[in-house]
Amino acid sequence: MAEGNALHDKSLQATEIEADVAKQGGLLGRKVFALDCVTSTNEVARKLGNEGYPEGTLVIAEEQSSGKGRYERSWFSPPHKGLWFSMILRPQTQHDKISLLTLLAGLAIANAVEQTLQLAPSIKWPNDLLFDGQKFCGVLAEGQSVGNSVAFIVLGIGINVNHKMGDFPEELQPTATSLRIKAGRPVGRAALLSCILSSFEELYSNFNKGNHAEAVRAWEKRCPWVAKRAQIHIDNRVIEGVFEGIDRLGRARLRLVNGELAVLTAGELGTA
Ligand code: BTN
C-alpha cells in the first residue's frame, strides 16, 4: 500500500481471503464473513457457531461498535484501521487446554508480524502483544459449553494495524501503538492476515495432536518477563514473585518469595 495513495487500506473481501486460504490448503478461513460494521466479531461468530457453522469459520469486520476486551473492557476498533476478527474453533480437547489456545494465537501473530514486517514483538502473559511496553494486539477467547464439554471456542483477535497515534483516544495514547507506527509505513492487512492464519494453523494442528512443548518454548522466547521479578494481578489481588514462564497448559508459573510455586490460569502480568 503506497503512503498517501488511499484514505485507508482496501476493504477486506471474503472471497479473496477464502481463495488465499484454499491456495494454501488451510482450514482456518475456509468460510469467511467480511462485514462492514458489527457490534463485536466475537458476538457474530458465537451466533454462527450456535447455528452450526464449522471450525475455521472466520468473521472479520472493518469496524466494531462494541469491541470487547478481556475483563469486560472495551476494545477500540475504528473503521479500516485494524484487523478485528474471530474464528470458530472446535478443538478435540478439554476445557483446561483452552487457555493455551489463546497463547498460541499470540505466538502466531508475533511470528507473522516478524515475518511480514521484520519487527519482533514481545508477548506479555497471557496474550498481550507489545512493542516497548505499548500494546498493539489482544486476544479474547470465549468458550461455548454444553454440559462439561466445550461445544466450540470463539477466538477473537484485535490488531492495531494502520492507526497513527492521533487516531487513538487520548487516554489510550500512553499505552497503545500500531504496526504502522512501529514500521514507519502503512501495512497491508490482507497479507498480514494470511500470514497469521497459516502460522496459527500450524500451531493449532500440533495442539490438536497434543504436541505442546515446542510452542511453549517458542512462546517463552518471546516473553521478556521470563526469569524476572513480576506481579500477577487477579481480581483485586496482587501476587509477587519470579515469573518462571508457562506450563504445558499455558498457565503462569510464579515462584513466590517463600519458595513455593504458584500456578495461575488467569490474571495479568505486570513488572514488580
Ligand atoms: C484484550 O486484550 O483485552 C483482548 C482484545 C480482543 C479484541 C478483539 S477484536 C476482535 C474480537 N471481537 C471483539 O469484540 N473482541 C475481539
Side-chain angles (χ1 to χ4, degrees):
M1 195 182 31
E3 172 85 81
N5 265 357
L7 285 176
H8 57 74
D9 195 3
K10 175 177 167 297
S11 289
L12 295 153
Q13 304 293 327
T15 47
E16 289 176 12
I17 300 168
E18 285 170 356
D20 180 64
V21 169
K23 200 171 78 192
Q24 300 190 49
L27 162 86
L28 307 175
R30 271 195 306 193
K31 175 72 192 154
V32 176
F33 292 84
L35 306 168
D36 200 18
C37 181
V38 297
T39 50
S40 152
T41 55
N42 269 32
E43 287 314 311
V44 178
R46 177 191 295 277
K47 197 163 164 283
L48 295 175
N50 281 324
E51 286 172 18
Y53 273 85
E55 167 150 280
T57 302
L58 187 145
V59 179
I60 189 158
E62 291 294 339
E63 178 181 8
Q64 298 183 113
S65 55
S66 318
K68 296 191 291 181
R70 295 173 70 229
Y71 299 111
E72 304 192 1
R73 295 177 191 134
S74 62
W75 182 262
F76 177 61
S77 321
H80 308 292
K81 299 278 176 192
L83 280 172
W84 324 126
F85 65 102
S86 305
M87 280 182 276
I88 296 174
L89 300 176
R90 297 182 183 274
Q92 302 301 308
T93 185
Q94 309 85 29
H95 276 290
D96 65 352
K97 293 201 185 120
I98 287 167
S99 48
L100 182 60
L101 260 185
T102 68
L103 273 66
L104 296 184
L107 178 60
I109 297 157
N111 291 345
V113 165
E114 181 147 28
Q115 201 177 318
T116 51
L117 299 173
Q118 290 74 53
L119 292 169
S122 307
I123 309 181
K124 184 157 77 75
W125 186 83
N127 44 37
D128 288 349
L129 268 74
L130 313 156
F131 288 111
D132 304 322
Q134 288 174 299
K135 177 165 167 173
F136 71 93
C137 170
V139 180
L140 177 67
E142 298 180 295
Q144 182 78 21
S145 307
V146 176
N148 272 342
S149 63
V150 179
F152 63 90
I153 293 168
V154 170
L155 185 68
I157 294 175
I159 307 176
N160 302 334
V161 181
N162 279 318
H163 307 48
K164 295 179 184 164
M165 197 40 93
D167 294 326
F168 290 104
E170 239 168 62
E171 67 274 16
L172 289 182
Q173 291 185 11
T175 53
T177 193
S178 77
L179 294 175
R180 175 188 181 135
I181 293 168
K182 287 294 151 185
R185 62 175 169 86
V187 173
R189 293 176 302 164
L192 178 63
L193 176 66
S194 164
C195 199
I196 292 169
L197 293 180
S198 56
S199 173
F200 184 67
E201 178 115 24
E202 193 183 332
L203 294 168
Y204 185 55
S205 155
N206 283 332
F207 168 89
N208 275 328
K209 288 179 201 142
N211 303 336
H212 300 170
E214 203 181 313
V216 165
R217 271 197 305 275
W219 187 95
E220 287 180 340
K221 268 197 193 157
R222 293 210 178 262
C223 178
W225 286 269
V226 174
K228 304 242 171 71
R229 287 197 59 75
Q231 298 179 328
I232 293 187
H233 299 248
I234 313 171
D235 303 324
N236 293 326
R237 284 183 309 144
V238 179
I239 306 179
E240 285 199 16
V242 172
F243 183 55
E244 291 190 348
I246 54 173
D247 70 6
R248 62 186 305 279
L249 301 178
R251 299 176 300 193
R253 294 159 44 88
L254 196 69
R255 184 67 61 185
L256 307 178
V257 189
N258 66 8
E260 277 174 27
L261 184 68
V263 178
L264 303 158
T265 38
E268 287 190 291
L269 190 88
T271 35

Short mmCIF file of all heavy atoms in Angstrom, two decimals, residues 83-146:
data_model
loop_
_atom_site.label_atom_id
_atom_site.label_comp_id
_atom_site.label_asym_id
_atom_site.label_seq_id
_atom_site.Cartn_x
_atom_site.Cartn_y
_atom_site.Cartn_z
N LEU A 83 -7.16 -5.05 12.19
CA LEU A 83 -7.69 -6.38 11.90
C LEU A 83 -8.52 -6.77 13.11
O LEU A 83 -7.96 -6.97 14.21
CB LEU A 83 -6.55 -7.38 11.68
CG LEU A 83 -5.87 -7.37 10.31
CD1 LEU A 83 -4.64 -8.27 10.30
CD2 LEU A 83 -6.83 -7.79 9.19
N TRP A 84 -9.83 -6.82 12.92
CA TRP A 84 -10.75 -7.20 14.00
C TRP A 84 -11.44 -8.47 13.53
O TRP A 84 -12.28 -8.41 12.62
CB TRP A 84 -11.80 -6.12 14.28
CG TRP A 84 -11.35 -4.68 14.14
CD1 TRP A 84 -11.94 -3.71 13.38
CD2 TRP A 84 -10.27 -4.01 14.81
NE1 TRP A 84 -11.28 -2.52 13.51
CE2 TRP A 84 -10.25 -2.67 14.39
CE3 TRP A 84 -9.30 -4.43 15.73
CZ2 TRP A 84 -9.31 -1.75 14.84
CZ3 TRP A 84 -8.35 -3.51 16.17
CH2 TRP A 84 -8.38 -2.19 15.73
N PHE A 85 -11.06 -9.61 14.07
CA PHE A 85 -11.65 -10.85 13.56
C PHE A 85 -11.76 -11.93 14.63
O PHE A 85 -11.08 -11.87 15.66
CB PHE A 85 -10.87 -11.37 12.34
CG PHE A 85 -9.45 -11.81 12.60
CD1 PHE A 85 -9.14 -13.16 12.71
CD2 PHE A 85 -8.42 -10.89 12.70
CE1 PHE A 85 -7.83 -13.58 12.91
CE2 PHE A 85 -7.11 -11.30 12.92
CZ PHE A 85 -6.81 -12.64 13.02
N SER A 86 -12.66 -12.89 14.33
CA SER A 86 -12.90 -14.01 15.25
C SER A 86 -13.04 -15.29 14.46
O SER A 86 -13.61 -15.28 13.37
CB SER A 86 -14.21 -13.78 16.03
OG SER A 86 -14.17 -12.53 16.69
N MET A 87 -12.53 -16.36 15.04
CA MET A 87 -12.61 -17.67 14.38
C MET A 87 -13.39 -18.63 15.26
O MET A 87 -13.25 -18.60 16.49
CB MET A 87 -11.21 -18.27 14.23
CG MET A 87 -10.43 -17.71 13.07
SD MET A 87 -8.83 -18.53 12.99
CE MET A 87 -7.87 -17.56 14.15
N ILE A 88 -14.14 -19.51 14.61
CA ILE A 88 -14.79 -20.59 15.35
C ILE A 88 -13.84 -21.78 15.35
O ILE A 88 -13.37 -22.21 14.30
CB ILE A 88 -16.12 -20.99 14.67
CG1 ILE A 88 -17.11 -19.83 14.69
CG2 ILE A 88 -16.72 -22.22 15.37
CD1 ILE A 88 -18.39 -20.09 13.91
N LEU A 89 -13.53 -22.27 16.55
CA LEU A 89 -12.68 -23.46 16.69
C LEU A 89 -13.47 -24.53 17.41
O LEU A 89 -14.21 -24.23 18.36
CB LEU A 89 -11.41 -23.13 17.48
CG LEU A 89 -10.50 -22.04 16.89
CD1 LEU A 89 -9.34 -21.76 17.84
CD2 LEU A 89 -9.99 -22.42 15.51
N ARG A 90 -13.30 -25.75 16.95
CA ARG A 90 -13.98 -26.87 17.62
C ARG A 90 -12.92 -27.91 17.98
O ARG A 90 -12.87 -28.98 17.38
CB ARG A 90 -15.07 -27.45 16.71
CG ARG A 90 -16.19 -26.45 16.36
CD ARG A 90 -17.27 -27.06 15.50
NE ARG A 90 -18.29 -26.09 15.12
CZ ARG A 90 -19.37 -25.77 15.85
NH1 ARG A 90 -19.56 -26.37 17.02
NH2 ARG A 90 -20.23 -24.89 15.42
N PRO A 91 -12.03 -27.58 18.93
CA PRO A 91 -10.93 -28.49 19.24
C PRO A 91 -11.38 -29.74 19.96
O PRO A 91 -12.37 -29.72 20.69
CB PRO A 91 -10.02 -27.65 20.15
CG PRO A 91 -10.90 -26.64 20.75
CD PRO A 91 -12.02 -26.39 19.78
N GLN A 92 -10.64 -30.81 19.71
CA GLN A 92 -10.94 -32.09 20.38
C GLN A 92 -10.20 -32.10 21.70
O GLN A 92 -9.27 -32.85 21.88
CB GLN A 92 -10.45 -33.26 19.52
CG GLN A 92 -11.04 -33.31 18.12
CD GLN A 92 -12.57 -33.41 18.16
OE1 GLN A 92 -13.11 -34.28 18.83
NE2 GLN A 92 -13.24 -32.51 17.47
N THR A 93 -10.55 -31.26 22.61
CA THR A 93 -9.78 -31.19 23.84
C THR A 93 -10.65 -30.70 24.99
O THR A 93 -11.77 -30.25 24.77
CB THR A 93 -8.55 -30.28 23.65
OG1 THR A 93 -7.77 -30.34 24.81
CG2 THR A 93 -8.94 -28.83 23.39
N GLN A 94 -10.11 -30.80 26.22
CA GLN A 94 -10.90 -30.40 27.37
C GLN A 94 -10.71 -28.92 27.66
O GLN A 94 -9.80 -28.30 27.16
CB GLN A 94 -10.49 -31.20 28.62
CG GLN A 94 -10.45 -32.70 28.45
CD GLN A 94 -9.12 -33.15 27.87
OE1 GLN A 94 -8.11 -32.49 28.08
NE2 GLN A 94 -9.13 -34.24 27.14
N HIS A 95 -11.57 -28.45 28.58
CA HIS A 95 -11.53 -27.05 28.99
C HIS A 95 -10.14 -26.57 29.38
O HIS A 95 -9.76 -25.46 29.09
CB HIS A 95 -12.39 -26.87 30.25
CG HIS A 95 -13.83 -26.68 29.94
ND1 HIS A 95 -14.32 -25.55 29.34
CD2 HIS A 95 -14.89 -27.47 30.16
CE1 HIS A 95 -15.61 -25.67 29.21
NE2 HIS A 95 -16.00 -26.83 29.68
N ASP A 96 -9.40 -27.45 30.11
CA ASP A 96 -8.18 -26.95 30.74
C ASP A 96 -7.09 -26.62 29.73
O ASP A 96 -6.06 -26.05 30.09
CB ASP A 96 -7.67 -27.93 31.81
CG ASP A 96 -7.23 -29.26 31.24
OD1 ASP A 96 -7.45 -29.48 30.04
OD2 ASP A 96 -6.68 -30.06 32.01
N LYS A 97 -7.27 -26.98 28.46
CA LYS A 97 -6.23 -26.65 27.48
C LYS A 97 -6.57 -25.37 26.70
O LYS A 97 -5.79 -24.92 25.88
CB LYS A 97 -6.04 -27.80 26.51
CG LYS A 97 -5.46 -29.02 27.19
CD LYS A 97 -4.82 -29.96 26.21
CE LYS A 97 -4.36 -31.21 26.94
NZ LYS A 97 -5.01 -32.41 26.41
N ILE A 98 -7.73 -24.81 27.00
CA ILE A 98 -8.18 -23.69 26.17
C ILE A 98 -7.34 -22.44 26.37
O ILE A 98 -7.10 -21.68 25.44
CB ILE A 98 -9.67 -23.44 26.40
CG1 ILE A 98 -10.42 -24.58 25.72
CG2 ILE A 98 -10.13 -22.11 25.83
CD1 ILE A 98 -11.84 -24.69 26.09
N SER A 99 -6.84 -22.25 27.59
CA SER A 99 -6.03 -21.04 27.79
C SER A 99 -4.75 -21.12 26.94
O SER A 99 -4.25 -20.09 26.47
CB SER A 99 -5.72 -20.81 29.25
OG SER A 99 -5.25 -21.98 29.82
N LEU A 100 -4.27 -22.34 26.70
CA LEU A 100 -3.09 -22.47 25.84
C LEU A 100 -3.40 -21.99 24.40
O LEU A 100 -2.55 -21.39 23.75
CB LEU A 100 -2.59 -23.91 25.82
CG LEU A 100 -1.34 -24.18 24.99
CD1 LEU A 100 -0.15 -23.35 25.51
CD2 LEU A 100 -0.97 -25.65 25.00
N LEU A 101 -4.62 -22.23 23.97
CA LEU A 101 -5.00 -21.80 22.61
C LEU A 101 -4.84 -20.29 22.42
O LEU A 101 -4.40 -19.83 21.38
CB LEU A 101 -6.47 -22.12 22.38
CG LEU A 101 -6.82 -23.35 21.61
CD1 LEU A 101 -8.32 -23.42 21.39
CD2 LEU A 101 -6.13 -23.34 20.25
N THR A 102 -5.21 -19.53 23.44
CA THR A 102 -5.10 -18.07 23.30
C THR A 102 -3.62 -17.67 23.26
O THR A 102 -3.24 -16.73 22.57
CB THR A 102 -5.82 -17.30 24.42
OG1 THR A 102 -5.14 -17.52 25.63
CG2 THR A 102 -7.26 -17.70 24.56
N LEU A 103 -2.79 -18.42 23.98
CA LEU A 103 -1.36 -18.13 23.93
C LEU A 103 -0.79 -18.46 22.55
O LEU A 103 0.07 -17.74 22.03
CB LEU A 103 -0.60 -18.90 25.01
CG LEU A 103 -0.50 -18.21 26.37
CD1 LEU A 103 -1.84 -18.06 27.03
CD2 LEU A 103 0.46 -18.93 27.29
N LEU A 104 -1.30 -19.53 21.96
CA LEU A 104 -0.84 -19.90 20.61
C LEU A 104 -1.24 -18.83 19.60
O LEU A 104 -0.49 -18.55 18.66
CB LEU A 104 -1.43 -21.25 20.19
CG LEU A 104 -1.01 -22.46 21.01
CD1 LEU A 104 -1.59 -23.73 20.41
CD2 LEU A 104 0.50 -22.57 21.12
N ALA A 105 -2.41 -18.23 19.81
CA ALA A 105 -2.83 -17.15 18.90
C ALA A 105 -1.84 -15.99 19.00
O ALA A 105 -1.38 -15.45 17.98
CB ALA A 105 -4.24 -16.69 19.24
N GLY A 106 -1.46 -15.62 20.22
CA GLY A 106 -0.48 -14.55 20.40
C GLY A 106 0.84 -14.88 19.72
O GLY A 106 1.44 -14.04 19.06
N LEU A 107 1.25 -16.14 19.87
CA LEU A 107 2.52 -16.57 19.26
C LEU A 107 2.43 -16.50 17.73
O LEU A 107 3.36 -16.02 17.06
CB LEU A 107 2.83 -17.99 19.73
CG LEU A 107 4.08 -18.64 19.16
CD1 LEU A 107 5.33 -17.83 19.53
CD2 LEU A 107 4.22 -20.09 19.69
N ALA A 108 1.29 -16.94 17.18
CA ALA A 108 1.12 -16.91 15.71
C ALA A 108 1.18 -15.47 15.19
O ALA A 108 1.79 -15.20 14.15
CB ALA A 108 -0.22 -17.54 15.34
N ILE A 109 0.58 -14.56 15.93
CA ILE A 109 0.57 -13.16 15.49
C ILE A 109 1.99 -12.59 15.56
O ILE A 109 2.46 -11.92 14.64
CB ILE A 109 -0.41 -12.32 16.34
CG1 ILE A 109 -1.83 -12.85 16.15
CG2 ILE A 109 -0.33 -10.84 15.98
CD1 ILE A 109 -2.78 -12.52 17.28
N ALA A 110 2.69 -12.89 16.65
CA ALA A 110 4.07 -12.41 16.78
C ALA A 110 4.93 -12.96 15.63
O ALA A 110 5.72 -12.23 15.01
CB ALA A 110 4.65 -12.82 18.13
N ASN A 111 4.76 -14.25 15.32
CA ASN A 111 5.53 -14.86 14.22
C ASN A 111 5.22 -14.16 12.90
O ASN A 111 6.11 -13.86 12.10
CB ASN A 111 5.18 -16.35 14.07
CG ASN A 111 5.70 -17.17 15.24
OD1 ASN A 111 6.53 -16.72 16.02
ND2 ASN A 111 5.18 -18.39 15.39
N ALA A 112 3.91 -13.90 12.67
CA ALA A 112 3.50 -13.30 11.40
C ALA A 112 4.00 -11.86 11.28
O ALA A 112 4.42 -11.42 10.20
CB ALA A 112 1.98 -13.35 11.27
N VAL A 113 3.97 -11.13 12.39
CA VAL A 113 4.45 -9.74 12.36
C VAL A 113 5.96 -9.74 12.05
O VAL A 113 6.44 -8.94 11.25
CB VAL A 113 4.15 -9.03 13.71
CG1 VAL A 113 4.94 -7.75 13.86
CG2 VAL A 113 2.66 -8.77 13.83
N GLU A 114 6.66 -10.67 12.65
CA GLU A 114 8.11 -10.73 12.40
C GLU A 114 8.38 -11.08 10.93
O GLU A 114 9.24 -10.49 10.29
CB GLU A 114 8.76 -11.75 13.33
CG GLU A 114 10.26 -11.82 13.11
CD GLU A 114 11.03 -12.13 14.37
OE1 GLU A 114 10.47 -12.79 15.27
OE2 GLU A 114 12.20 -11.72 14.45
N GLN A 115 7.61 -12.04 10.43
CA GLN A 115 7.83 -12.48 9.04
C GLN A 115 7.48 -11.38 8.03
O GLN A 115 8.19 -11.19 7.06
CB GLN A 115 6.94 -13.70 8.80
CG GLN A 115 7.42 -14.55 7.65
CD GLN A 115 6.52 -15.78 7.52
OE1 GLN A 115 6.16 -16.40 8.53
NE2 GLN A 115 6.16 -16.12 6.31
N THR A 116 6.39 -10.66 8.27
CA THR A 116 5.96 -9.69 7.25
C THR A 116 6.63 -8.32 7.43
O THR A 116 6.83 -7.61 6.45
CB THR A 116 4.43 -9.49 7.25
OG1 THR A 116 4.02 -9.21 8.57
CG2 THR A 116 3.69 -10.70 6.74
N LEU A 117 6.97 -7.95 8.66
CA LEU A 117 7.47 -6.58 8.88
C LEU A 117 8.89 -6.54 9.47
O LEU A 117 9.42 -5.46 9.73
CB LEU A 117 6.53 -5.83 9.83
CG LEU A 117 5.09 -5.65 9.35
CD1 LEU A 117 4.23 -5.06 10.44
CD2 LEU A 117 5.06 -4.74 8.13
N GLN A 118 9.46 -7.70 9.73
CA GLN A 118 10.79 -7.78 10.35
C GLN A 118 10.83 -6.98 11.66
O GLN A 118 11.80 -6.29 11.98
CB GLN A 118 11.90 -7.28 9.40
CG GLN A 118 12.17 -8.20 8.21
CD GLN A 118 11.08 -8.11 7.15
OE1 GLN A 118 10.76 -7.01 6.72
NE2 GLN A 118 10.49 -9.23 6.77
N LEU A 119 9.74 -7.07 12.42
CA LEU A 119 9.69 -6.45 13.74
C LEU A 119 9.40 -7.56 14.74
O LEU A 119 8.54 -8.41 14.46
CB LEU A 119 8.54 -5.43 13.82
CG LEU A 119 8.64 -4.17 12.98
CD1 LEU A 119 7.29 -3.45 12.99
CD2 LEU A 119 9.72 -3.26 13.54
N ALA A 120 10.07 -7.55 15.88
CA ALA A 120 9.87 -8.65 16.84
C ALA A 120 9.12 -8.16 18.08
O ALA A 120 9.70 -7.54 18.96
CB ALA A 120 11.22 -9.23 17.24
N PRO A 121 7.80 -8.44 18.14
CA PRO A 121 7.04 -8.01 19.32
C PRO A 121 7.30 -8.88 20.53
O PRO A 121 7.75 -10.01 20.40
CB PRO A 121 5.58 -8.17 18.88
CG PRO A 121 5.58 -8.92 17.62
CD PRO A 121 6.98 -9.16 17.16
N SER A 122 7.00 -8.33 21.71
CA SER A 122 7.05 -9.13 22.94
C SER A 122 5.65 -9.63 23.25
O SER A 122 4.66 -8.95 22.93
CB SER A 122 7.46 -8.29 24.14
OG SER A 122 8.64 -7.61 23.88
N ILE A 123 5.59 -10.77 23.92
CA ILE A 123 4.29 -11.25 24.41
C ILE A 123 4.29 -11.15 25.92
O ILE A 123 5.24 -11.57 26.57
CB ILE A 123 4.02 -12.71 24.01
CG1 ILE A 123 4.23 -12.94 22.51
CG2 ILE A 123 2.60 -13.10 24.40
CD1 ILE A 123 3.95 -14.37 22.06
N LYS A 124 3.22 -10.57 26.45
CA LYS A 124 3.07 -10.48 27.91
C LYS A 124 1.93 -11.41 28.32
O LYS A 124 0.85 -11.32 27.76
CB LYS A 124 2.76 -9.03 28.32
CG LYS A 124 2.67 -8.82 29.81
CD LYS A 124 2.92 -7.37 30.18
CE LYS A 124 1.76 -6.48 29.92
NZ LYS A 124 0.66 -6.60 30.89
N TRP A 125 2.22 -12.30 29.29
CA TRP A 125 1.21 -13.28 29.68
C TRP A 125 -0.07 -12.61 30.13
O TRP A 125 -0.01 -11.62 30.84
CB TRP A 125 1.77 -14.14 30.84
CG TRP A 125 0.86 -15.27 31.22
CD1 TRP A 125 0.76 -16.48 30.62
CD2 TRP A 125 -0.10 -15.26 32.29
NE1 TRP A 125 -0.20 -17.23 31.24
CE2 TRP A 125 -0.74 -16.51 32.27
CE3 TRP A 125 -0.50 -14.31 33.25
CZ2 TRP A 125 -1.74 -16.84 33.18
CZ3 TRP A 125 -1.49 -14.65 34.15
CH2 TRP A 125 -2.10 -15.90 34.11
N PRO A 126 -1.25 -13.07 29.70
CA PRO A 126 -1.35 -14.26 28.87
C PRO A 126 -1.19 -13.99 27.37
O PRO A 126 -0.64 -14.83 26.68
CB PRO A 126 -2.76 -14.78 29.17
CG PRO A 126 -3.52 -13.58 29.62
CD PRO A 126 -2.55 -12.63 30.25
N ASN A 127 -1.70 -12.88 26.88
CA ASN A 127 -1.65 -12.75 25.42
C ASN A 127 -1.70 -11.33 24.89
O ASN A 127 -2.36 -11.05 23.88
CB ASN A 127 -2.78 -13.59 24.78
CG ASN A 127 -4.07 -13.39 25.52
OD1 ASN A 127 -4.35 -12.29 25.97
ND2 ASN A 127 -4.84 -14.44 25.70
N ASP A 128 -1.03 -10.41 25.56
CA ASP A 128 -0.91 -9.06 25.00
C ASP A 128 0.34 -9.01 24.15
O ASP A 128 1.40 -9.52 24.56
CB ASP A 128 -0.72 -8.03 26.12
CG ASP A 128 -1.99 -7.81 26.92
OD1 ASP A 128 -3.05 -8.29 26.49
OD2 ASP A 128 -1.90 -7.16 27.97
N LEU A 129 0.25 -8.36 23.00
CA LEU A 129 1.45 -8.18 22.17
C LEU A 129 1.87 -6.71 22.22
O LEU A 129 1.03 -5.82 22.05
CB LEU A 129 1.18 -8.61 20.72
CG LEU A 129 1.53 -10.07 20.46
CD1 LEU A 129 0.51 -10.99 21.07
CD2 LEU A 129 1.66 -10.35 19.00
N LEU A 130 3.15 -6.51 22.46
CA LEU A 130 3.64 -5.16 22.74
C LEU A 130 4.92 -4.85 21.99
O LEU A 130 5.68 -5.75 21.64
CB LEU A 130 3.99 -5.04 24.24
CG LEU A 130 3.01 -5.55 25.29
CD1 LEU A 130 3.74 -5.86 26.57
CD2 LEU A 130 1.94 -4.52 25.55
N PHE A 131 5.12 -3.54 21.79
CA PHE A 131 6.43 -3.03 21.42
C PHE A 131 6.81 -2.00 22.47
O PHE A 131 6.03 -1.05 22.70
CB PHE A 131 6.39 -2.32 20.05
CG PHE A 131 6.23 -3.26 18.89
CD1 PHE A 131 5.06 -3.27 18.15
CD2 PHE A 131 7.26 -4.11 18.51
CE1 PHE A 131 4.92 -4.11 17.08
CE2 PHE A 131 7.12 -4.95 17.42
CZ PHE A 131 5.95 -4.96 16.71
N ASP A 132 7.94 -2.14 23.09
CA ASP A 132 8.41 -1.19 24.11
C ASP A 132 7.32 -0.87 25.13
O ASP A 132 7.09 0.30 25.46
CB ASP A 132 8.89 0.12 23.46
CG ASP A 132 9.97 -0.15 22.43
OD1 ASP A 132 10.81 -1.02 22.67
OD2 ASP A 132 9.94 0.51 21.36
N GLY A 133 6.61 -1.88 25.59
CA GLY A 133 5.60 -1.68 26.63
C GLY A 133 4.28 -1.14 26.12
O GLY A 133 3.35 -0.95 26.91
N GLN A 134 4.16 -0.87 24.82
CA GLN A 134 2.89 -0.35 24.29
C GLN A 134 2.18 -1.45 23.53
O GLN A 134 2.78 -2.12 22.68
CB GLN A 134 3.14 0.85 23.38
CG GLN A 134 3.55 2.10 24.16
CD GLN A 134 3.94 3.21 23.21
OE1 GLN A 134 4.88 3.06 22.43
NE2 GLN A 134 3.20 4.30 23.25
N LYS A 135 0.90 -1.58 23.79
CA LYS A 135 0.14 -2.73 23.26
C LYS A 135 -0.42 -2.44 21.87
O LYS A 135 -0.97 -1.38 21.63
CB LYS A 135 -0.99 -3.02 24.25
CG LYS A 135 -1.94 -4.13 23.85
CD LYS A 135 -2.76 -4.56 25.06
CE LYS A 135 -3.93 -5.44 24.66
NZ LYS A 135 -4.64 -5.99 25.82
N PHE A 136 -0.28 -3.44 20.97
CA PHE A 136 -0.92 -3.28 19.65
C PHE A 136 -1.89 -4.41 19.35
O PHE A 136 -2.58 -4.35 18.32
CB PHE A 136 0.14 -3.17 18.53
CG PHE A 136 0.86 -4.45 18.24
CD1 PHE A 136 0.41 -5.30 17.25
CD2 PHE A 136 1.99 -4.81 18.95
CE1 PHE A 136 1.06 -6.49 16.97
CE2 PHE A 136 2.64 -6.01 18.69
CZ PHE A 136 2.18 -6.85 17.70
N CYS A 137 -1.94 -5.41 20.21
CA CYS A 137 -2.80 -6.55 19.89
C CYS A 137 -3.26 -7.25 21.16
O CYS A 137 -2.50 -7.36 22.13
CB CYS A 137 -2.00 -7.54 19.03
SG CYS A 137 -2.81 -9.12 18.80
N GLY A 138 -4.51 -7.72 21.14
CA GLY A 138 -5.03 -8.52 22.24
C GLY A 138 -5.87 -9.67 21.70
O GLY A 138 -6.34 -9.63 20.56
N VAL A 139 -6.02 -10.68 22.53
CA VAL A 139 -6.75 -11.89 22.13
C VAL A 139 -7.83 -12.17 23.18
O VAL A 139 -7.55 -12.10 24.38
CB VAL A 139 -5.80 -13.12 22.05
CG1 VAL A 139 -6.56 -14.37 21.62
CG2 VAL A 139 -4.64 -12.84 21.09
N LEU A 140 -9.03 -12.45 22.73
CA LEU A 140 -10.11 -12.78 23.65
C LEU A 140 -10.77 -14.08 23.20
O LEU A 140 -11.47 -14.11 22.19
CB LEU A 140 -11.16 -11.65 23.65
CG LEU A 140 -12.40 -11.87 24.51
CD1 LEU A 140 -12.04 -11.88 25.99
CD2 LEU A 140 -13.44 -10.78 24.25
N ALA A 141 -10.52 -15.15 23.96
CA ALA A 141 -11.12 -16.45 23.63
C ALA A 141 -12.33 -16.67 24.54
O ALA A 141 -12.24 -16.47 25.75
CB ALA A 141 -10.12 -17.57 23.84
N GLU A 142 -13.44 -17.05 23.93
CA GLU A 142 -14.65 -17.30 24.71
C GLU A 142 -15.19 -18.68 24.35
O GLU A 142 -15.36 -18.98 23.17
CB GLU A 142 -15.70 -16.23 24.42
CG GLU A 142 -15.22 -14.84 24.81
CD GLU A 142 -16.27 -13.77 24.53
OE1 GLU A 142 -16.60 -13.53 23.36
OE2 GLU A 142 -16.73 -13.15 25.51
N GLY A 143 -15.42 -19.50 25.36
CA GLY A 143 -15.90 -20.87 25.11
C GLY A 143 -17.41 -20.94 25.20
O GLY A 143 -18.02 -20.22 25.97
N GLN A 144 -17.97 -21.79 24.39
CA GLN A 144 -19.41 -22.07 24.48
C GLN A 144 -19.53 -23.52 24.94
O GLN A 144 -19.13 -24.43 24.20
CB GLN A 144 -20.04 -21.86 23.10
CG GLN A 144 -21.51 -22.07 23.05
CD GLN A 144 -22.29 -20.87 23.61
OE1 GLN A 144 -21.78 -19.77 23.69
NE2 GLN A 144 -23.51 -21.11 24.04
N SER A 145 -20.04 -23.71 26.15
CA SER A 145 -20.06 -25.07 26.71
C SER A 145 -21.41 -25.73 26.55
O SER A 145 -22.43 -25.07 26.52
CB SER A 145 -19.74 -25.02 28.21
OG SER A 145 -18.56 -24.32 28.41
N VAL A 146 -21.34 -27.06 26.46
CA VAL A 146 -22.55 -27.87 26.58
C VAL A 146 -22.21 -28.91 27.64
O VAL A 146 -21.33 -29.74 27.43
CB VAL A 146 -22.89 -28.58 25.25
CG1 VAL A 146 -24.09 -29.49 25.44
CG2 VAL A 146 -23.17 -27.57 24.16
#
